[in-house]
Amino acid sequence: MKKLGMMMAAMMIAVTGFAKDIKTVVFNTAPEMHCNSCENRIKNGLKFEKGVKDIKTDLETKTVTIEYDADKTNVDNLVAAFAKIEYKATEAGKGAAAGEKKGGCCKKKAAEGAAAGEKNGGCCKKKAAEGAAAGEKKGGCCKKK
């Protein structure tokens, strides 16, 4: 009986020694994530990064929450992963990412769309209406690559 108890204790210590260091970080992005296409682009772009365990996006708060294994990656590596998909990421509460506001991806596409004679559409219909009030033109965003 004593041997069984000692073996159980040894196994519990061994399992504890192999516990992963799972951490969570919340990011804001620039351009801001504002539609399902943005969400999908971020999730698909980051899901295979080493150490990433889970990605949750929230359109209402425009945040990306990533659960990761700190033994395999870190916040700087995750920020670099965002850069690969043309987003600038900053930890939530640590300042606005490059000071960019709503519709960041639309601004770039608006110029491209206007040159090609495209009209507002896709995920930017809402943003286009907002932009029209401000005298801005918007063109089909989030269709990058």
Side-chain angles (χ1 to χ4, degrees), residues 18-93:
F18 294 114
K20 293 184 178 189
D21 187 11
I22 304 298
K23 294 188 177 183
T24 302
V25 64
V26 179
F27 289 106
N28 292 318
T29 63
E32 282 186 344
M33 176 182 59
H34 66 274
C35 65
N36 289 334
S37 182
C38 295
E39 279 185 306
N40 291 333
R41 183 168 182 199
I42 289 169
K43 285 179 178 179
N44 290 332
L46 299 178
K47 68 182 175 185
F48 294 114
E49 283 297 316
K50 185 177 181 181
V52 171
K53 299 296 178 194
D54 191 33
I55 304 167
K56 290 184 173 86
T57 54
D58 187 336
L59 283 174
E60 188 174 316
T61 61
K62 296 179 178 18
T63 58
V64 180
T65 303
I66 299 177
E67 188 176 290
Y68 65 98
D69 183 344
D71 294 330
K72 295 182 180 181
T73 194
N74 57 43
V75 172
D76 291 336
N77 290 344
L78 296 172
V79 169
F82 274 97
K84 290 178 192 174
I85 57 170
E86 299 178 12
Y87 280 90
K88 180 174 172 93
T90 56
E91 283 186 73

Side-chain angles (χ1 to χ4, degrees), residues 100-112 136-139 141:
E100 294 186 40
K101 297 293 178 190
K102 292 180 183 175
C105 68
C106 296
K107 290 177 185 175
K108 182 177 178 183
K109 286 297 184 179
E112 295 169 6
E136 299 174 8
K137 291 183 180 178
K138 305 250 186 235
C141 75

